[in-house]
Amino acid sequence: MTVNFDTLKASLVLYGLNAIYAILLLAVGWYLSGAMQRFVTRVLSVTHRVDPLVTLFVGSLARYGVLAVVGIAVLQLFGIQTASLVAVLGATSLAIGLALQGTLSNLAAGVMLLLFRPFRIGDDVEVAGKAGKVRSLSLFMTELVAADNTQILLPNGQVWGAAIVNHSAYPGTGEVKVAFPVPAGAASALADRILTELRNDSRMDDQAAPAVNISRVVDVANPASPIVELTVSAKARPSQADAVRQCVLDHASALLAA
């Protein structure tokens, strides 16, 4: 068997040049993909209307889109038919998709959550039987922080497929108003204790001072110890108003029992 060295030399030169072109193309493509990601992220960040999670997702999507185009161009340099390659990749993707149905459903749900944004970072939500403050949202998992600072990780498929209660979606007044009967002789001391508790409560609105007043006389059947109605008025953070209201009632009940 004879070897045609001229043909071999020409082939080596051709493939060598193609390899150099491929390396240069990959280097340029890598730079362009990073530049595209930064450009998209900067453009979406300027508007201040796009959620940071969506901005990061779209930026990374733009980067990998550029890399995919560069990869196809590199394959064509070496004479690889991209049509047959796409068919093979499609069949492989189908097999992987069947094996990873749950993971891909979480991925799809994550994309839907990023696009429709039923909640944002910092919102107080109830979803899939769990309640907490939204800390992060990735393509596969939603992270909540419970009231006791416990981490809750929920697959996005469960979040998207469940009813979502967002306590932070609409701004509320956070008004706390509680009225309860107390003996007139204990009203003043009880009012002072409740005021002290509310002023030291971090859940209260700093812009509005709490107040405790005697609103009316309830019962004067016993003139020595009439019953009056004590009304507590305060403003808390909207998501904490119910908790503060219950706390006031519990505190008043404990003081009266003592």
Side-chain angles (χ1 to χ4, degrees):
M1 179 178 180
T2 59
V3 178
N4 190 332
F5 289 100
D6 292 334
T7 304
L8 180 60
K9 182 179 178 180
S11 299
L12 290 175
V13 170
L14 177 62
Y15 282 108
L17 289 175
N18 285 339
I20 294 173
Y21 293 152
I23 293 173
L24 292 175
L25 187 58
L26 287 173
V28 173
W30 185 266
Y31 172 78
L32 289 178
S33 66
M36 179 62 73
Q37 182 179 19
R38 291 190 296 271
F39 173 75
V40 172
T41 302
R42 185 165 57 252
V43 169
L44 294 179
S45 299
V46 167
T47 63
H48 300 291
R49 295 183 179 181
V50 181
D51 192 273
L53 291 173
V54 178
T55 300
L56 294 175
F57 174 73
V58 175
S60 63
L61 193 64
R63 178 185 181 185
Y64 289 115
V66 172
L67 289 177
V69 173
V70 172
I72 293 175
V74 169
L75 292 175
Q76 287 181 337
L77 277 177
F78 293 97
I80 298 176
Q81 296 297 323
T82 55
S84 59
L85 180 63
V86 168
V88 172
L89 288 177
T92 305
S93 300
L94 178 61
I96 295 175
L98 292 175
L100 301 175
Q101 271 186 321
T103 302
L104 292 178
S105 66
N106 290 329
L107 173 61
V111 173
M112 299 300 288
L113 290 170
L114 286 169
L115 291 177
F116 289 96
R117 291 177 294 169
F119 47 75
R120 298 174 182 271
I121 302 297
D123 284 359
D124 289 310
V125 300
E126 295 179 29
V127 61
K130 305 295 181 181
K133 188 182 294 293
V134 179
R135 182 168 185 177
S136 67
L137 172 63
S138 66
L139 289 178
F140 297 98
M141 304 290 290
T142 298
E143 181 181 359
L144 306 180
V145 180
D148 59 352
N149 208 32
T150 301
Q151 182 189 52
I152 303 174
L153 295 175
L154 295 172
N156 286 336
Q158 293 184 15
V159 177
W160 181 250
I164 301 174
V165 180
N166 190 342
H167 297 289
S168 305
Y170 304 109
T173 62
E175 184 177 1
V176 177
K177 193 165 187 178
V178 183
F180 47 86
V182 299
S188 179
L190 183 59
D192 290 340
R193 294 284 298 274
I194 292 176
L195 275 175
T196 301
E197 291 292 332
L198 290 176
R199 287 167 180 165
N200 295 330
D201 196 327
S202 60
R203 298 172 294 184
M204 303 306 298
D205 187 349
D206 297 333
Q207 305 299 322
V212 183
N213 302 301
I214 296 176
S215 53
R216 65 189 180 94
V217 178
V218 178
D219 187 5
V220 292
N222 184 2
S225 181
I227 303 298
V228 298
E229 184 179 74
L230 206 63
T231 300
V232 179
S233 301
K235 274 196 173 183
R237 296 173 184 172
S239 61
Q240 301 291 338
D242 292 337
V244 172
R245 188 178 297 109
Q246 186 60 46
C247 183
V248 170
L249 288 173
D250 293 342
H251 187 62
S253 300
L255 291 175
L256 288 172

